[in-house]
Amino acid sequence: MTVTRRAGTRARPLRPGREPAGRDAIPGPPLRTLPVLISKLWRDRLALLSDATAEFGDAVRLSMGPKTLYYFNHPDHAKHVLADNAGNYHKGMGLSQAKRILGDGLLTSEGEQWRRQRRTISPAFRRDRLARFAGLITAEIGTLAGRLDAQAGAGPVDVTAEMTRFTLRVLGTALLDADLSPFGDLGGAFDVAQDQAMFEMVTLGAVPLWLPLPRNRRFRTARRHLEDAVYTLAAERELGGGPGGDDVLSLVLADGHGEPSPGRRRRMLRDEMITILLAGHETTASTLSWTWYLLGRHPEVAERVAAEAADVLGDREPGGGDLPRLQYTTMVIQEVMRLYPPVWGLPRKALGTDSIGGYQVPAGADVMISPYTLHRHPGFWPAPGRFDPERFGPAAAGQAHRYAYIPFGAGPRVCVGSHLGMMEAVFAVAMVARRFRLSLPPGHQVVPEANLSLRVRGGLPVRVTRV
């Protein structure tokens, strides 16, 4: 099996911890290459970014018709944009397209509205609640293992679909205190929404949503499906006595009670809950899909994961205290997220003029930080295209630049659910690897698809064998 991507290519990196001084002309491809850039933007966004850094270095100016993208690929650049001067940068390119599905939820809002939303849901992710999540997660892994067992020895199983189904069930039970199964294929609805958002970004909104095209009809149907699920969940919770718990749905409903306008309250509920539904399952499902792909390519790593699970857990299910003991499995997940970070791009818009790495950036500029290329920077990661979990072993602690690895983002907008996501992924991999081997069909080509998240294009077929 092969992966179609461009990684580990040459770059002209800065020395770690060093920035150029006094530069204002950011290099980039000439105007005559515009057709090539547009083609890559449409067909292979990862290649667009990887090729740009390979040819021009860590700061690139990409002029694409009416849009100019200032792309920075050094950890110091990421630190400046995402943390040190985060107040100067709001969400950028693709924001209006993402808002078609997410509205003004936690991923797309700014300022006081974002701070209020973050404060509202943060109690659901407290450490004491995370300990309670362990039992809910392992119960859902048991259900997942049952489905895999039923398909063992049969034809290929789409493990991406299975991981999506699993993470949605965990989201429902752990974060929402609700059963999402009656709402059908929520994962498929989000796939349609992501595809539409990326289509509109690449075409700069040139195709109106009101046109009766099959693509537009699919998107409107998917959006209604998600909205109906949110409103039904809220109505059932209100009928059941209303908010009062510490799950995300109760917290969002309680916060909305302070809004006097029924229309605005309904819109707030819709935006915040659809965002939670997407962010709460998509990134972990993506990470788990790429984990099974890489374990399938590296059976020796899969064997070591299974051996650790047997040694630490035996036949029992893991509890919250087992997470630090599953050290090698955690290293595997960290390395998977280095190679295939679920959030591959962090677009920002500069509110005011700034200097990034000595390069002048004008007010209103679209700025891009990409964890995908940053995690493969040859100045900070030896043999960056190689899968090597030992990069995250105890002996390697503290060797890499803090901002050379940002799978959950960085700064004020770092992912609020990162600890839950790691627990979910580590426990799932340990428990499944202990019972099954997931092998890859020979010759199947795996292609990363950079939509709102970094997915396996077309799903990932595997054969399940009992251990």
Side-chain angles (χ1 to χ4, degrees), residues 296-328:
R297 289 192 64 196
H298 300 272
E300 74 285 356
V301 176
E303 291 290 344
R304 188 169 169 185
V305 168
E308 180 182 71
D311 181 55
V312 172
L313 303 175
D315 292 329
R316 65 177 177 84
E317 295 180 345
D322 290 312
L323 187 59
R325 300 177 64 204
L326 293 166
Q327 184 181 56
Y328 185 72

Side-chain angles (χ1 to χ4, degrees), residues 19-26 355-360:
E19 291 186 345
R23 297 183 182 177
D24 54 13
I26 302 178
S355 176
I356 303 176
Y359 292 104
Q360 298 305 305

Side-chain angles (χ1 to χ4, degrees), residues 1 17 28 36 40 112-113 124 172 174 179 195 297 329 332 357 371-372 394 441:
M1 178 177 289
V36 176
K40 286 183 179 179
E112 182 53 38
Q113 181 178 2
D179 180 10
D195 180 68
R297 289 192 64 196
T329 308
V332 168
Y372 180 85

Side-chain angles (χ1 to χ4, degrees), residues 160-392:
T160 296
E162 290 292 348
M163 295 305 106
T164 298
R165 185 176 177 183
F166 159 67
T167 55
L168 274 168
R169 289 183 61 89
V170 171
L171 167 66
T173 56
L175 286 183
L176 306 182
D177 192 21
D179 180 10
L180 297 181
S181 59
F183 300 107
D185 189 11
L186 292 176
F190 276 118
D191 285 347
V192 172
Q194 285 198 64
D195 180 68
Q196 180 69 18
M198 194 57 60
F199 173 80
E200 291 187 18
M201 189 191 80
V202 172
T203 59
L204 300 178
V207 182
L209 191 59
W210 53 261
L211 286 176
L213 302 176
R215 166 184 290 278
N216 289 345
R217 288 197 295 269
R218 286 195 299 271
F219 171 70
R220 289 194 293 267
T221 299
R223 185 167 60 182
R224 283 195 302 271
H225 184 187
L226 297 172
E227 291 172 344
D228 289 346
V230 166
Y231 296 140
T232 301
L233 284 170
E236 290 175 349
R237 183 62 51 87
E238 297 282 14
L239 286 174
D246 57 359
D247 60 277
V248 170
L249 178 57
S250 293
L251 294 171
V252 170
L253 284 171
D255 182 60
H257 284 173
E259 172 55 52
S261 167
R264 176 163 169 74
R265 185 163 62 246
R266 182 177 172 87
R267 182 70 183 184
M268 288 169 55
L269 170 71
R270 179 249 185 234
D271 293 353
E272 293 181 44
M273 290 308 303
I274 287 183
T275 297
I276 291 295
L277 285 171
L278 173 63
H281 89 278
E282 177 70 20
T283 53
T284 307
S286 170
T287 295
L288 286 170
S289 296
W290 288 113
T291 300
W292 299 123
Y293 163 68
L294 288 168
L295 291 182
R297 289 192 64 196
H298 300 272
E300 74 285 356
V301 176
E303 291 290 344
R304 188 169 169 185
V305 168
E308 180 182 71
D311 181 55
V312 172
L313 303 175
D315 292 329
R316 65 177 177 84
E317 295 180 345
D322 290 312
L323 187 59
R325 300 177 64 204
L326 293 166
Q327 184 181 56
Y328 185 72
T329 308
T330 300
M331 291 159 53
V332 168
I333 298 298
Q334 290 173 316
E335 175 69 345
V336 170
M337 290 192 296
R338 183 188 69 82
L339 285 170
Y340 298 104
V343 180
W344 61 275
L346 299 169
R348 295 291 187 267
K349 183 174 287 292
L351 303 184
T353 302
D354 197 12
S355 176
I356 303 176
Y359 292 104
Q360 298 305 305
V361 174
D366 285 298
V367 173
M368 171 67 82
I369 302 293
S370 172
Y372 180 85
T373 53
L374 198 59
H375 291 181
R376 296 164 179 262
H377 195 305
F380 299 91
W381 301 100
R386 187 180 71 225
F387 177 59
D388 181 11
E390 294 297 336
R391 298 179 199 271
F392 294 92

